[in-house]
Amino acid sequence: DEVVRIGYLPITDATVLLVAHAKGFFESEGLKTARPTLIRGWSPLVEGFAAGKFNLVHLLKPIPIWMRYNNGFPVKIMSWAHLNGSGLVVGRHVDAQSFADLGGKQVAIPYWYSMHNIVLQMGLRHAGLKPVIRAQGESLAADEVNLQIMPPPDMPPALAARKIDAFIVAEPFNAVGEMLAGGKMLRFTGDMWKNHPCCVVCMNENQVNARPEWSQKVMNAIVRAQIYSQQNKKEVAHLLSKDGMGYLPMKAEIVERAMTFYEDSNYSSPDAIKHPEWGSGRIDFQPWPFPSATRLIVNELKKTLVGGDTSFLQKLDADFVAEDLVDYRFVKAAMEKYPAWKNAPGFNAENPFEREEVVKI
């Protein structure tokens, strides 16, 4: 069998891939793995995956939509990587208490085709603000918010230097922004869209079809890692940190905050957590790729400002994408083999493979 070659960004979205490697789940399923390769930005990770350097990656969920339907690359979503796990952090130099206070500001996002861009623009529209793409230094109207792409590791330093006013990104860079860059958590994305997907586990469709047994073993390991990560967040945070196995270049206290620090009483911004009754964690882990979420993402992308040619989006049918982009076979078989995922949040025990999406800005 081919060696499992993982590419990942240094974010908690990659947790299950890294835990599957660290805990030997791939090996116990009969696979060999190479040490996962850390990549600093989404573009080089996408390029490495497309070139075959990696055969197992986590990607922001809208990226496979762009890769498959704009670029014709045979990517398949195999499972979700996690739930929630992102937030909007503003600089202390910005007197912002809600989305409405972001008018005239500079906001960094990690990638045009990201959940962050989608959810951010949901919030901006709700507040009556208009996202724009302008060169740095160009003047903005009071109701305009300028968006710029920035690799996640660059966001906290840029915020501290006041080169940007806010950023929306995956953990642990929100925790870094809070603890090291003087930032304030304005809103958790999982408090806007209940138990939303962000990163997904992806493979090349050609490889999946050519090696179904290998693919099943990979997904068995991923589902086991989902279960372990959900049940052992504090331990996993230390394992991932540079105080543990060094997959992430942050200290354990930062990664632990990113994975466990989620109480509405902890935040000065009254909007940081509006829906504590949802029972969400700052990040949670479950593998099932709900079709309803894919359909919502496709429809929201059509309303989201994105750099470059987006004409392909208008032709997409959300029901078709939910069936064509996602391979449900292997993750479902793995979930049947390892059923402890049922303890994760967001499942209806009577109908665990379907749900209604809840969005409350």
Side-chain angles (χ1 to χ4, degrees):
D1 279 345
E2 186 171 354
V3 173
V4 178
R5 290 173 280 110
I6 295 168
Y8 74 100
L9 263 65
I11 53 180
T12 53
D13 299 38
T15 294
V16 296
L17 301 181
L18 303 176
V19 166
H21 176 263
K23 304 302 290 187
F25 293 153
F26 291 118
E27 281 71 19
S28 66
E29 293 291 336
L31 301 172
K32 295 180 180 180
T33 58
R35 170 83 182 185
T37 301
L38 188 154
I39 305 293
R40 290 190 78 256
W42 289 110
S43 291
L45 180 60
V46 168
E47 292 162 6
F49 175 55
K53 183 177 180 181
F54 311 116
N55 54 25
L56 184 66
V57 295
H58 68 107
L59 296 174
L60 297 165
K61 185 156 185 179
I63 292 179
I65 295 173
W66 168 71
M67 291 182 74
R68 188 172 181 90
Y69 303 111
N70 187 59
N71 298 0
F73 185 81
V75 59
K76 276 283 189 179
I77 293 174
M78 304 299 291
S79 75
W80 284 2
H82 66 104
L83 305 174
N84 310 321
S86 294
L88 174 63
V89 173
V90 297
R92 292 292 179 185
H93 64 283
V94 180
D95 184 19
Q97 298 299 322
S98 69
F99 277 91
D101 299 321
L102 296 177
K105 301 296 190 290
Q106 305 282 338
V107 181
I109 62 175
Y111 208 71
W112 291 123
Y113 289 92
S114 66
M115 295 300 300
H116 309 91
N117 192 26
I118 291 173
V119 176
L120 171 66
Q121 292 190 39
M122 284 180 177
L124 296 179
R125 287 197 302 269
H126 186 262
L129 299 177
K130 184 172 76 171
V132 297
I133 304 172
R134 301 265 175 79
Q136 192 81 7
E138 284 191 37
S139 61
L140 297 172
D143 65 343
E144 292 180 333
V145 179
N146 193 39
L147 308 183
Q148 57 180 287
I149 300 296
M150 186 174 288
D154 295 346
M155 291 183 181
L159 188 74
R162 303 190 179 188
K163 294 179 180 178
I164 57 174
D165 300 307
F167 63 74
I168 184 167
V169 74
E171 298 288 4
F173 290 105
N174 299 300
V176 173
E178 292 177 284
M179 299 176 74
L180 302 180
K184 178 179 72 173
M185 179 63 70
L186 193 75
R187 190 75 185 273
F188 287 102
T189 58
D191 190 66
M192 299 168 65
W193 178 357
K194 184 178 180 181
N195 292 323
H196 70 77
C198 185
C199 270
V200 289
V201 176
C202 292
M203 294 166 61
N204 186 309
E205 181 179 19
N206 295 334
Q207 183 171 42
V208 172
N209 292 336
R211 296 185 177 91
E213 292 184 7
W214 183 90
S215 301
Q216 186 62 66
K217 293 174 183 178
V218 170
M219 294 315 301
N220 289 348
I222 292 297
V223 168
R224 291 171 66 185
Q226 294 271 7
I227 295 165
Y228 193 90
S229 299
Q230 181 65 23
Q231 294 176 348
N232 303 279
K233 290 181 185 177
K234 187 172 181 178
E235 176 201 331
V236 165
H238 187 275
L239 181 153
L240 296 180
S241 75
K242 69 178 184 180
D243 299 317
M245 293 187 66
Y247 294 108
L248 306 182
M250 299 92 177
K251 292 182 178 180
E253 62 179 340
I254 293 175
V255 185
E256 185 176 330
R257 181 186 181 101
M259 296 185 72
T260 65
F261 192 77
Y262 191 80
E263 296 290 340
D264 55 346
S265 60
N266 292 331
Y267 291 95
S268 59
S269 171
D271 282 352
I273 302 174
K274 286 186 173 183
H275 305 293
E277 72 278 5
W278 285 0
S280 302
R282 184 150 171 166
I283 186 171
D284 289 308
F285 301 94
Q286 74 81 15
W288 182 248
F290 286 100
S292 55
T294 301
R295 290 192 287 267
L296 180 58
I297 290 166
V298 171
N299 290 329
E300 283 296 324
L301 271 175
K302 295 179 181 183
K303 300 183 283 186
T304 301
L305 177 66
V306 174
D309 182 13
T310 61
S311 57
F312 78 97
L313 288 173
Q314 305 310 318
K315 304 172 186 175
L316 290 181
D317 176 76
D319 291 329
F320 169 77
V321 173
E323 290 302 316
D324 179 68
L325 180 63
V326 184
D327 193 324
Y328 300 93
R329 298 171 296 167
F330 300 97
V331 66
K332 194 164 190 179
M335 291 168 75
E336 290 170 353
K337 186 173 183 179
Y338 300 105
W341 53 269
K342 294 178 181 178
N343 298 323
F347 280 103
N348 177 351
E350 297 179 359
N351 189 12
F353 299 111
E354 293 182 20
R355 76 178 193 184
E356 183 177 346
E357 301 304 314
V358 177
V359 178
K360 294 184 179 180
I361 306 301

